[in-house]
Structure formats: structure tokens, C-alpha cells
Amino acid sequence: MIYLENAEIFQEGRFIKANVFTAGERIKKIQTVDYHTLRDLDVKVYDCSGCFIIPGILDPHLHLAGGSGEKGGFSSQSAAITIAECVRGGVTTLVGTLGVDTTTKTMPELVARARAFNDVGLTAYCYTGGYDCPPRTITDSVRHDVIYIPEIIGVGEIAIADRRAPEPTLHDLARSMVDAYVGGMLSNKPGISHIHAGGGDRRLKTLRDLMEVHVIVPDKIHITHIGRSKALVEEAIEMAQRGCFVDLDLWDRDFVYWYKVYRELGGPLDQLTVSSDAGIGSPSELWWELRDAVLNHGYTLEELLPHFTVNTARALGLSRKGRILVEHDADLTVIDAKNFEIKHVISRGQVFLEDGKFVFSNRMDFSRRGLDIYGIGEENDKKSS
């Protein structure tokens, strides 16, 4: 059990003074708890004076098993994502996906990586498939993958308007999306269709054509990589106005630029999420980009946080994530209110980062190897912010 006191917590779009009490994997109280009760229950107490408490960040799109290696062959494949890379950026929930490479990167490998993260104490899901449509699945269909494999919450990232994948037929795309939706209904899962928007001239035309001839639920569609051109952002805004969720990735670390474009064009702010697209980069870049936008570009933490937390939870259908509320998951990040450095990270009620230092085991009993990357890229990240 954990008690965080004397902080300002982010709740419903603003910061309020409050104390947070967690037990097990859930938030149990957001109020003062009697010290006799704390002593009797053997609670770990953190004085968070001068700090903000925000929900754990959600990363809706990253290459958990590593990047494909498109620029130099096998030797250019990036390493699998590590737990430490997530924790040092306050990321406590993530969704892995395959990309263009569904040959050397496989669905069993992706599911295994997600399961490993869950075993340790973070929350990890994945999509079935990749760029291909019909998708490459573990079972005989998208529907069965969603129903029978706990980590799989939908299909993706299906590529449209991209030279690395043939444009899917409307029938194949509709079948994949309906299977994800129905599989989600039958298994009480989100049933998301995660769509990769490429740089081709068709942009989102395939999705518009699809919605003309098939009954597709808009809020089950999550379109990523919209920050390629102003024209693509305009089309993404039109899809967001229909009810789809749209996503800015950090591949080129240009979040502030495309966020400004999206806002200036009148994009629905409650339909916008941000993902790391980690593989080349790190999940922790989500926090560094957010921090940079506040410290150096005039945005406020209050206006930006929803794109990294509650909006993403809504897009993914994760009702206990993204907000600090009683009976929500105890995913909490404590940051210094002055310099925006992360002090503590709690995931599902377990402390992973304490006073800026990792406190979880980094070495398997049966291995001499350190399994996580400590500090790699950290100084560069700080300088860029």
C-alpha cells in the first residue's frame, strides 16, 4: 500500500491539492488518511510536496519486439523495447505492434514480449497483424486472436497509402475491422482497428471509401502517423469529426510542430492521442516531448496531458486507465513541479522508480545479463528539452 501526500494531482483537466492512497493495484482513496490507519496497515508514505501527480502515460503504438530494419538489412533492426525505457518516461501502459516486417518479427514474439511486461507489473497489450491485409495472425483469424489471446486487443497496424504494402481491398479491410470489433464484443475487449497512414497521395481515401459501403464503428478506428503533411492532417481531422481517434507519432520528434498545425486547423482535441512509435526511439520520448512543449513552447501541462493519458485510454477502450480516480488502476507518475523531472513512477500499485532511481529487479536469477537499458540516450533527451 502506498500513500502520496501533499501533492497536486491532475484530475478532470486541472490540478487540485489532494492525497492519494493505493492498495493492491487500485487507487482506493483520494483524501487524507488517518496516520494511525497508515501505521496499522504498514503503508509506504511519500511526501510529494512541490510535486504534481499525473496518471501513468499510455503509449498506444510502439514496436515492442524491435524495429524492422528497413535501412540496412538485418543489422539495422532495432532492439526490443525494455521496461526501464518505459519507466524512466512515466509510461505504464503500452500497446505493441508489428510493422512492415511480419516475416522476421512474428506475432508469437510480440505476444510473448507483452506478456513479459505484464508479468513484471506494467500493462502491455498488442495488435494482431501488421502492415499486411489480410493480417498475419496466430490463429486462423483476427476474430479468434482477439477472443482467445489475452494480450491482443485489436488488429493493426494495417497500412494504407504506403509503398511498403499493397492497398487493401475494401472487402479485406472491412473483414479485418469487423472481426476485431466482433471479437472485442464477444470477449469484452476494445476491438480496435489501428490504421497506419502512409505518405501516398491517396492518404485516407481508402477509409472514406470503406465507410461509404460498410457499416464501421468510427470510435473503434485509431489512425496513426497523421503528421506527414498538412493535407493528411486535414483529412485526419475530418475522420476525427466522424468519431475516429487520430494519433501523432514521435518518429521525427516533431510533436510541437504538428500539434500546432492540428490545433490551428480546428482538430477535435478530445480525439487526438500521441504515441512514441518506439523502435528507433524510446517510449520515454513521450515525456521529453511533452516536457519540452511546456518548458520551451508555451503550452501548459493541463492542456497537453489528455493527449498522453485520458484521450488514449478512451481510444483504447481502457476504462481504468488515464485518470486519477478511486478504483482506477494505480498508475501514477510524480514529477517535480519546478523542473518537470520525474521522481517516482508507480504501475499497478508497484513502485518502479523512486527518487529518480529504479527500484525493480533488473536481472533474472538465471542470467548474468542486465536485461534493461539504463540511461542510454538520457543526456541527449535532457539536452533536447
Side-chain angles (χ1 to χ4, degrees):
M1 288 176 280
I2 299 169
Y3 186 55
L4 305 169
E5 61 178 355
N6 303 322
E8 294 187 55
I9 71 169
F10 186 70
Q11 192 176 70
E12 305 306 319
R14 62 194 180 97
F15 283 98
I16 61 172
K17 292 186 179 297
N19 302 322
V20 181
F21 176 71
T22 76
E25 295 189 359
R26 302 286 182 84
I27 297 169
K28 290 300 180 180
K29 287 188 176 182
I30 301 176
Q31 62 187 60
T32 300
V33 177
D34 180 79
Y35 275 100
H36 294 292
T37 301
L38 296 176
R39 186 180 63 240
D40 293 342
L41 293 176
D42 191 25
V43 177
K44 176 74 173 180
V45 179
Y46 291 89
D47 183 358
C48 298
S49 300
C51 294
F52 294 134
I53 301 178
I54 64 173
I57 291 173
L58 292 87
D59 190 347
H61 176 107
L62 76 169
H63 297 280
L64 195 56
S68 299
E70 300 172 49
K71 298 181 179 180
F74 298 115
S75 63
S76 67
Q77 291 185 346
S78 61
I81 302 300
T82 66
I83 294 164
E85 289 180 286
C86 297
V87 170
R88 70 186 178 96
V91 175
T92 57
T93 301
L94 49 109
V95 186
T97 184
L98 299 181
V100 64
D101 184 2
T102 56
T103 305
T104 69
K105 303 291 184 181
T106 67
M107 280 306 305
E109 178 185 15
L110 180 60
V111 169
R113 292 294 301 171
R115 193 163 295 183
F117 273 56
N118 287 319
D119 286 349
V120 171
L122 272 67
T123 301
Y125 300 101
C126 60
Y127 292 113
T128 189
Y131 277 22
D132 308 324
C133 190
R136 298 199 181 192
T137 58
I138 293 181
T139 67
D140 61 350
S141 71
V142 168
R143 184 179 303 196
H144 289 167
D145 275 16
V146 173
I147 290 174
Y148 293 120
I149 300 173
E151 292 78 14
I152 294 177
I153 61 170
V155 64
E157 57 174 311
I158 296 175
I160 62 173
D162 196 291
R163 67 185 185 280
R164 295 163 292 180
E167 198 70 13
T169 67
L170 296 188
H171 176 271
D172 286 345
L173 184 55
R175 168 57 62 192
S176 299
M177 296 172 78
V178 170
D179 270 359
Y181 176 69
V182 174
M185 284 198 309
L186 297 178
S187 59
N188 194 29
K189 287 183 177 180
I192 305 300
S193 293
H194 192 54
I195 305 298
H196 164 110
D201 291 340
R202 289 181 61 85
R203 292 185 289 272
L204 303 184
K205 186 177 187 305
T206 296
L207 284 182
R208 293 196 300 274
D209 291 346
L210 179 77
M211 297 174 79
E212 289 295 323
V213 296
H214 292 278
V215 179
I216 302 295
V217 181
D219 66 5
K220 296 297 183 180
I221 301 173
H222 194 199
I223 307 164
T224 190
H225 307 318
I226 68 167
R228 296 185 188 274
S229 67
K230 183 178 178 181
L232 181 55
V233 173
E234 289 174 334
E235 293 191 20
I237 287 172
E238 192 271 331
M239 297 300 290
Q241 290 168 341
R242 295 192 189 194
C244 301
F245 287 90
V246 297
D247 180 73
L248 287 171
D249 70 87
L250 301 184
W251 174 265
D252 290 320
R253 303 194 71 171
D254 51 4
F255 164 70
V256 169
Y257 176 82
W258 289 112
Y259 183 64
K260 182 179 179 182
V261 170
Y262 185 87
R263 286 178 63 116
E264 289 178 345
L265 293 173
L269 295 179
D270 59 350
Q271 298 297 108
L272 178 68
T273 68
V274 184
S275 65
S276 72
D277 195 13
I280 297 298
S282 165
S284 62
E285 290 179 3
L286 284 167
W287 174 249
W288 297 116
E289 289 286 305
L290 172 58
R291 181 175 181 266
D292 175 65
V294 174
L295 295 182
N296 300 319
H297 297 279
Y299 292 102
T300 67
L301 194 57
E302 291 89 336
E303 67 185 317
L304 293 180
L305 270 176
H307 306 301
F308 297 76
T309 56
V310 65
N311 287 4
T312 311
R314 288 174 47 242
L316 299 175
L318 303 178
S319 59
R320 295 202 308 265
K321 301 290 186 182
R323 295 192 293 174
I324 302 177
L325 295 174
V326 172
E327 290 304 325
H328 276 49
D329 288 352
D331 298 340
L332 303 163
T333 298
V334 181
I335 60 175
D336 189 297
K338 292 182 179 179
N339 59 22
F340 283 32
E341 295 286 347
I342 293 178
K343 294 189 65 176
H344 315 305
V345 175
I346 299 164
S347 177
R348 288 163 46 194
Q350 178 181 338
V351 179
F352 278 78
L353 193 76
E354 185 177 76
D355 292 322
K357 297 180 180 179
F358 296 106
V359 293
F360 65 94
S361 175
N362 182 49
R363 193 183 299 277
M364 297 292 186
D365 292 339
F366 52 81
S367 173
R368 293 189 300 274
R369 294 178 59 205
L371 300 182
D372 290 313
I373 299 172
Y374 279 87
I376 291 180
E378 185 173 10
E379 291 302 318
N380 289 334
D381 282 340
K382 287 181 178 179
K383 288 176 183 178
S384 69
S385 63

